[in-house]
Amino acid sequence: MTKSSEAEVVQRILKLLEQGPKNFYAILQSLADVEYRTILIAWGSVREKNLLRRDDHGNYLLAAQESKGR
């Protein structure tokens, strides 16, 4: 596992979601090299900033993408 900072993990999460909607498990899988605690702290930071929305299937997507019709 790499020692990633919260800010780095936030950027990785956002970059992953730019590719399209993902469920939480898929997000965790893409961050398998990061300590779980760091992922949760970064996830909390993303959620606090209201950057995420959920689609009809429960997947997470960026709020900006939703407004573009995705």
Side-chain angles (χ1 to χ4, degrees):
M1 282 202 189
T2 57
K3 184 75 171 165
S4 300
S5 73
E6 175 190 341
E8 291 169 334
V9 177
V10 165
Q11 289 306 310
R12 285 179 63 182
I13 291 169
L14 296 177
K15 195 168 270 216
L16 178 68
L17 291 173
E18 285 175 357
Q19 299 169 11
K22 303 279 185 276
N23 63 42
F24 188 68
Y25 184 68
I27 294 167
L28 287 178
Q29 285 181 310
S30 74
L31 299 169
D33 62 310
V34 180
E35 292 178 359
Y36 189 65
R37 183 177 189 281
T38 304
I39 295 170
L40 292 181
I41 292 169
W43 183 253
S45 178
V46 171
R47 299 278 313 242
E48 285 176 357
K49 295 175 184 172
N50 294 318
L51 298 175
L52 303 177
R53 297 290 180 259
R54 305 235 10 216
D55 67 12
D56 293 338
H57 304 286
N59 296 312
Y60 290 95
L61 63 145
L62 296 175
Q65 290 176 331
E66 184 180 57
S67 64
K68 293 179 185 176
R70 271 189 156 184

